[in-house]
Amino acid sequence: QASQEELKAAYRRLCMLYHPDKHRDPELKSQAERLFNLVHQAYEVLSDPQTRAIYDIYGRRGLEMEGWEVVERKRTPAEIREEFERLQREREERRLQQRTNPKGTISVGIDATDLFDRYDEEYEDVPGSSFPQIEINKMHISQSIEAPLTATDTAILSGNLSTQNGNGGGSINLALRRVTSAKGWGELEFGAGDLQGPLFGLKIFRNLTPRCFITTNCALQFSSRGVRPGLTTVLARNLDKNTMGYLQWRWGIQSAMNTSIVRDTKTSHFTLALQLGIPHSFMMVSYQHKFQDEDQTRVKGSLKAGFFGTIVEYGAERKISRHSILGATVSVGVPQGVSLKIKLNRASQTYFFPVHLTDQLLPSAVFYATVGPLVIYFAMHRLIIKPYLRAQKERELEKQRESTASDILQKKQEAEAAVRLMQESVRRIIEAEEARMGLIVVNAWYGKFVNDNSRKNEKVKVIDVTVPLQCLVKDSKLILTEASKAGLPGFYDPCVGEEKSLKVLYQFRGVLHQVMSADNEALRIPKQ
């Protein structure tokens, strides 16, 4: 965003610093020529609106293409950006053709009621009866993939298998979706299964207004009992920036009317729902609080009451790695009893483990369902997850260091040469600042600092940048913009991929001050 005047001022300043005629020593003169040429090349690119636009978008590769193969030379910066966006859209379309977007769910139901509902008299004569029997009583697996056919048409293939207490079945579905306009799409669905006959469905989505949309789903299910039609319609509206209202009407199998309000903000998620239907009518309230931490921790609670009974649920979820989220929910209900539900989301795959603990409301079951997962999680987090993530981060950093080693070495050599060339200018700046009791940089370091006791085993990686910072002082002021300081003259990156800061000890009006600034944070000293 620098203006032409700012570019010219910076260019003149660096030319005065690196001009070869200002240095008599042959080695310094050679280093000055190299840096002077780099500055000149940069100014030539950035002072021309066309080459500057190409560099902003494509980097050096765009400038080095022979015959300006990227775009026509006569185009304006705005046209160059339009061309880039067009090429980007084409790349996205090609990437879309290759993407299948797989999604899957694996659910394993566990019956652990023998832990709490055990009747000893039934097991007195059974061998091995001293150990509770824990069984897997149901399983469900579903998977789907998407295959883009054109920019507007997509085929979706999905299937599922389920088994419970020795009985099971499965089905397979094929859906063809077409985006008809920016306002809507339609979908045709065909399915078949071993427990149910063929299924034909039609789904339509339409934006009625910018704040309101409708979805209609019609289905015909063929079975040995005849044809069973079904119709579901959902009308939704934005009530405000963060709140949606839904009205749903379902006719056919399990007919019902449902209305719900969902409010989703940066720190919370609230849902209120009411359903009147056959066989289930209920009211449900749920609330989720989102903590603003790097692990994206969330705690939630809900109350659901209806003809089937009452259920209270509470739980939490947390990000345990870049692509994985682990969650646990305790469900307490009448007459359902107590259950623990553990869920792991890994990218687009979901693994779900509902554990049924007891058919009764036992305080001991509620206690162990609540405390047990917490103890296991914190133990695993400390002994397994944290060491694994630390080792993974080290591997990534090492890989990044290896790939940038030659470039960093070159930057280091350029920075050291720049510091040697700055010595005479810095001497003059210090003399002028001392005469007016102005700003003198006593010491300055840039890189990775370790101030936290929990990180005391980590290695400090900093470089001395006293001379480069003093060289940037003008009229007793030092102003740095919001950008990585590794790009400043006389700087380089001493710890690639790690968090960096700038620490400055300076003297102003004869008084010592100290300031610490994050790498991308703007800095202006002296402070008011």
Side-chain angles (χ1 to χ4, degrees):
Q1 289 81 27
S3 65
Q4 287 297 323
E5 289 72 23
E6 288 172 319
L7 283 172
K8 284 179 184 175
Y11 176 58
R12 282 196 298 268
R13 186 183 179 91
L14 290 171
C15 280
M16 289 174 65
L17 190 62
Y18 296 144
H19 202 287
D21 294 345
K22 288 184 171 287
H23 305 279
R24 296 179 182 178
D25 183 275
E27 187 183 347
L28 288 178
K29 195 176 186 74
S30 170
Q31 293 169 347
E33 282 178 0
R34 189 158 54 87
L35 291 171
F36 183 78
N37 288 334
L38 283 174
V39 170
H40 185 65
Q41 287 171 16
Y43 183 67
E44 278 189 332
V45 171
L46 298 176
S47 59
D48 181 340
Q50 290 171 324
T51 55
R52 181 175 177 176
I54 291 171
Y55 178 75
D56 283 348
I57 297 168
Y58 297 98
R60 282 185 180 274
R61 190 181 59 170
L63 299 172
E64 291 165 0
M65 284 188 178
E66 294 181 6
W68 294 94
E69 295 168 1
V70 179
V71 288
E72 294 178 26
R73 182 78 174 106
K74 61 186 179 182
R75 294 195 177 185
T76 64
E79 290 172 330
I80 291 169
R81 284 185 167 82
E82 285 176 12
E83 177 78 3
F84 173 71
E85 288 169 3
R86 184 186 66 78
L87 293 171
Q88 204 171 33
R89 282 196 299 271
E90 288 179 2
R91 281 199 300 271
E92 284 296 324
E93 285 179 10
R94 285 196 296 271
R95 196 178 292 125
L96 191 69
Q97 298 290 340
Q98 300 166 354
R99 191 181 66 185
T100 58
N101 193 22
K103 295 177 184 176
T105 301
I106 296 176
S107 176
V108 179
I110 300 170
D111 183 358
T113 54
D114 202 30
L115 289 171
F116 297 96
D117 295 343
R118 184 178 175 85
Y119 297 100
D120 291 337
E121 59 270 16
E122 295 181 9
Y123 296 91
E124 284 177 355
D125 301 323
V126 180
S129 62
S130 58
F131 297 99
Q133 300 295 311
I134 297 175
E135 302 173 343
I136 293 175
N137 61 357
K138 57 184 176 182
M139 291 185 68
H140 175 81
I141 299 173
S142 64
Q143 186 75 29
S144 70
I145 57 170
E146 294 181 4
L149 306 176
T150 67
T152 58
D153 297 335
T154 305
I156 304 163
L157 182 66
S158 61
N160 67 78
L161 292 169
S162 299
T163 178
Q164 183 169 2
N165 296 325
N167 300 314
S171 65
I172 187 167
N173 290 65
L174 173 65
L176 299 172
R177 179 183 295 170
R178 165 165 285 188
V179 178
T180 54
S181 68
K183 290 187 174 182
W185 50 263
E187 185 176 289
L188 282 172
E189 183 181 7
F190 308 92
D194 59 347
L195 298 180
Q196 297 175 334
L199 169 74
F200 297 97
L202 172 65
K203 191 174 184 179
I204 298 171
F205 171 89
R206 180 77 179 176
N207 277 314
L208 302 178
T209 68
R211 298 180 60 184
C212 183
F213 69 84
I214 188 170
T215 304
T216 300
N217 188 6
C218 310
L220 290 174
Q221 178 73 63
F222 294 86
S223 67
S224 56
R225 298 180 181 178
V227 180
R228 292 191 295 177
L231 176 66
T232 302
T233 300
V234 178
L235 179 66
R237 178 179 172 81
N238 277 97
L239 303 179
D240 63 32
K241 181 183 174 183
N242 300 307
T243 309
M244 288 288 293
Y246 297 91
L247 290 172
Q248 183 187 73
W249 178 63
R250 188 167 64 242
W251 172 78
I253 306 167
Q254 295 188 350
S255 297
M257 289 185 295
N258 183 297
T259 181
S260 59
I261 295 174
V262 179
R263 180 169 178 79
D264 192 11
T265 66
K266 190 178 179 181
T267 59
S268 65
H269 183 95
F270 174 78
T271 303
L272 174 63
L274 176 66
Q275 176 173 302
L276 298 175
I278 304 170
H280 294 307
S281 294
F282 65 85
M283 187 181 78
M284 191 266 289
V285 179
S286 73
Y287 177 79
Q288 182 182 84
H289 184 75
K290 306 172 188 176
F291 291 93
Q292 302 303 303
D293 57 353
E294 59 180 14
D295 293 324
Q296 298 176 13
T297 307
R298 300 182 179 191
V299 294
K300 55 188 176 181
S302 68
L303 171 65
K304 190 174 182 180
F307 293 166
F308 53 81
T310 303
I311 299 175
V312 175
E313 291 189 342
Y314 58 91
E317 66 179 41
R318 198 175 199 187
K319 191 174 181 181
I320 57 173
S321 71
R322 186 182 302 172
H323 303 293
S324 302
I325 297 175
L326 180 65
T329 303
V330 178
S331 177
V332 182
V334 178
Q336 292 82 2
V338 181
S339 298
L340 172 64
K341 301 171 185 176
I342 298 170
K343 185 169 74 171
L344 174 65
N345 282 356
R346 173 73 179 170
S348 59
Q349 302 294 313
T350 301
Y351 304 90
F352 188 53
F353 303 94
V355 183
H356 189 48
L357 298 176
T358 173
D359 294 321
Q360 307 172 55
L361 288 181
L362 296 179
S364 57
V366 176
F367 174 79
Y368 285 112
T370 305
V371 176
L374 288 173
V375 172
I376 293 170
Y377 168 75
F378 284 115
M380 286 182 61
H381 189 264
R382 188 172 185 83
L383 300 175
I384 299 173
I385 297 172
K386 273 184 89 172
Y388 170 75
L389 292 177
R390 196 182 301 118
Q392 187 183 47
K393 187 178 179 182
E394 280 299 322
R395 285 196 299 271
E396 289 176 356
L397 285 174
E398 192 60 38
K399 195 174 178 181
Q400 194 175 353
R401 288 189 199 107
E402 288 173 4
S403 64
T404 59
S406 59
D407 187 42
I408 292 297
L409 182 61
Q410 182 185 344
K411 295 286 185 188
K412 181 181 178 182
Q413 291 169 350
E414 288 177 5
E416 289 171 347
V419 169
R420 285 194 289 271
L421 296 169
M422 290 174 183
Q423 297 291 347
E424 185 58 32
S425 295
V426 167
R427 187 184 60 78
R428 290 197 300 270
I429 291 170
I430 289 175
E431 287 177 357
E433 292 296 325
E434 282 178 341
R436 68 173 76 155
M437 294 283 286
L439 177 60
I440 298 170
V441 178
V442 179
N443 273 311
W445 301 272
Y446 173 67
K448 177 185 173 184
F449 295 86
V450 179
N451 300 321
D452 190 349
N453 288 331
S454 62
R455 298 164 59 200
K456 60 186 177 184
N457 294 326
E458 297 182 27
K459 189 179 178 183
V460 176
K461 301 171 187 174
V462 296
I463 56 173
D464 189 328
V465 290
T466 308
V467 171
L469 272 191
Q470 185 67 66
C471 196
L472 292 171
V473 173
K474 186 177 180 183
D475 298 330
S476 298
K477 291 176 187 172
L478 175 63
I479 300 172
L480 304 179
T481 57
E482 290 182 2
S484 175
K485 296 168 179 64
L488 293 171
F491 282 63
Y492 68 93
D493 193 340
C495 45
V496 176
E498 298 185 68
E499 193 176 319
K500 292 173 280 291
S501 302
L502 175 66
K503 186 176 184 179
V504 186
L505 181 67
Y506 66 94
Q507 184 176 308
F508 184 69
R509 299 283 187 261
V511 180
L512 277 174
H513 302 272
Q514 182 175 289
V515 65
M516 193 97 164
S517 170
D519 188 25
N520 290 291
E521 185 183 351
L523 176 66
R524 185 186 180 100
I525 55 177
K527 296 280 188 182
Q528 294 297 318

